[in-house]
Amino acid sequence: MKLNCNNRWCNSWTGVALFLEKSSPVFLILDNPFKGIVQPYEKRCETFSFRVLNSSHKQFWTITYISIFSLVVNFTADWEVGSVNAVTTYKSFSNSMVNADIGVHVGLDGVNITLKGNPIHQMNETIDYNEQFLWSFGSNFNEYYNDGLQKGLPNPILYVAEKFTQNDPCGIFSQYRISSHYASACMWVAFCSWIICNILFSMSVFIYGAYMILVTGAFMLFSLISFSTVKNVSFCNIQFGSETLKTTFGASFWLSLAIGGLLAHSLWKKIITVVFLFMT
């Protein structure tokens, strides 16, 4: 049986690409007022000062796209990832073995567990599963696990999901849930500060707009610090025969680190330069 992947984490970055393609005209519209604000200063500012403003205009479009990515990573499932290829039992009460790739994809709302046959067609079935188990506040992870039991999901998926349940001796559920909750909250604050930043820039309040860019970067870094505390507890030993499933930080984590570091540590020079410009 093939279980179609139809949750909101599937093909996350494909959705991002489509969104950016469709939304480009919107950002160009937002960019034009900023250009109009910058250009009047050309005649009455020194060459150096104007270059700063013109540079800010050129980077506005880039910062907008970066900020969209900072919002999207709230909904991706690759903050922490891991996979292993193993020969393992396929269903309960059966000795049938399959060769498959088992993957764990941790996001801020929960975990995706994948199972893909190698080859994909085995035992007269198409082995291609992508199951979502949520731990966000308002969701009951154990209910998702029990639903999986009732649906008769393959053993590897249930085995991995069991490690994240509240009553499992591993004890990783609480740490992941709390860390992800605060990481998500910080990401939403970062996105809101980016909105305020754009409003301030459109009102020609450059200095406070630059401050809000720094706030955006700072809260993105706070989000990373919060999520990284999951390493305070050792990840459970998930064993498939002689193979062990291990996890590492994924693309969303490192992308957020790069963007947060760029915003928080690079733009302070522009703040100083803009202050100098408006004092002269």
Side-chain angles (χ1 to χ4, degrees), residues 79-82 104-111 133-137 141 163-165 170-184 226-236 238 245-249:
W79 280 75
E80 187 176 4
V81 296
V104 173
H105 309 270
V106 178
L108 300 184
D109 282 347
V111 59
F133 302 85
L134 298 180
W135 55 51
S136 57
F137 288 93
F141 190 92
K163 298 295 184 180
F164 288 92
T165 55
C170 285
I172 63 176
F173 172 81
S174 296
Q175 185 66 54
Y176 270 87
R177 188 186 192 194
I178 294 174
S179 297
S180 299
H181 174 73
Y182 285 107
S184 179
S226 176
F227 186 80
S228 64
T229 59
V230 298
K231 295 300 183 181
N232 290 344
V233 292
S234 57
F235 196 78
C236 281
I238 301 178
L245 195 157
K246 298 180 180 180
T247 61
T248 59
F249 290 130

Side-chain angles (χ1 to χ4, degrees), residues 5-214:
C5 175
N6 54 9
N7 58 62
R8 64 191 174 97
W9 281 347
C10 296
N11 301 321
S12 299
W13 294 111
T14 301
V16 174
L18 292 174
F19 176 80
L20 293 177
E21 179 182 355
K22 299 296 183 182
S23 60
S24 293
V26 176
F27 298 129
L28 291 176
I29 292 172
L30 291 174
D31 187 35
N32 287 332
F34 187 83
K35 183 188 297 185
I37 292 168
V38 171
Q39 288 177 345
Y41 287 92
E42 182 176 7
K43 294 182 179 179
R44 68 182 184 88
C45 294
E46 296 179 357
T47 302
F48 173 77
S49 298
F50 173 70
R51 285 178 178 174
V52 172
L53 285 174
N54 194 42
S55 174
S56 296
H57 152 248
K58 291 179 179 179
Q59 293 181 6
F60 178 78
W61 184 82
T62 303
I63 292 174
T64 301
Y65 272 88
I66 290 175
S67 301
I68 291 298
F69 275 101
S70 72
L71 171 64
V72 171
V73 292
N74 264 295
F75 307 101
T76 57
D78 56 354
W79 280 75
E80 187 176 4
V81 296
S83 63
V84 64
N85 177 266
V87 176
T88 180
T89 56
Y90 181 50
K91 293 283 188 177
S92 300
F93 311 109
S94 172
N95 294 325
S96 300
M97 307 289 285
V98 295
N99 187 315
D101 296 317
I102 304 106
V104 173
H105 309 270
V106 178
L108 300 184
D109 282 347
V111 59
N112 261 33
I113 303 173
T114 61
L115 178 70
K116 188 170 184 178
N118 188 18
I120 196 170
H121 299 288
Q122 298 182 49
M123 301 172 55
N124 297 321
E125 293 189 29
T126 299
I127 303 174
D128 189 7
Y129 290 82
N130 189 334
E131 291 294 328
Q132 183 183 54
F133 302 85
L134 298 180
W135 55 51
S136 57
F137 288 93
S139 301
N140 190 323
F141 190 92
N142 285 0
E143 286 185 2
Y144 283 91
Y145 176 72
N146 291 332
D147 288 344
L149 289 173
Q150 294 176 7
K151 289 193 298 184
L153 293 179
N155 273 356
I157 292 179
L158 295 174
Y159 170 61
V160 176
E162 185 180 12
K163 298 295 184 180
F164 288 92
T165 55
Q166 293 172 272
N167 300 323
D168 191 81
C170 285
I172 63 176
F173 172 81
S174 296
Q175 185 66 54
Y176 270 87
R177 188 186 192 194
I178 294 174
S179 297
S180 299
H181 174 73
Y182 285 107
S184 179
C186 288
M187 275 295 180
W188 280 111
V189 173
F191 177 71
C192 292
S193 61
W194 165 74
I195 295 294
I196 297 173
C197 162
N198 281 273
I199 294 173
L200 292 173
F201 273 131
S202 68
M203 297 170 61
S204 305
V205 189
F206 298 110
I207 182 63
Y208 292 108
Y211 283 148
M212 294 311 297
I213 292 178
L214 290 176

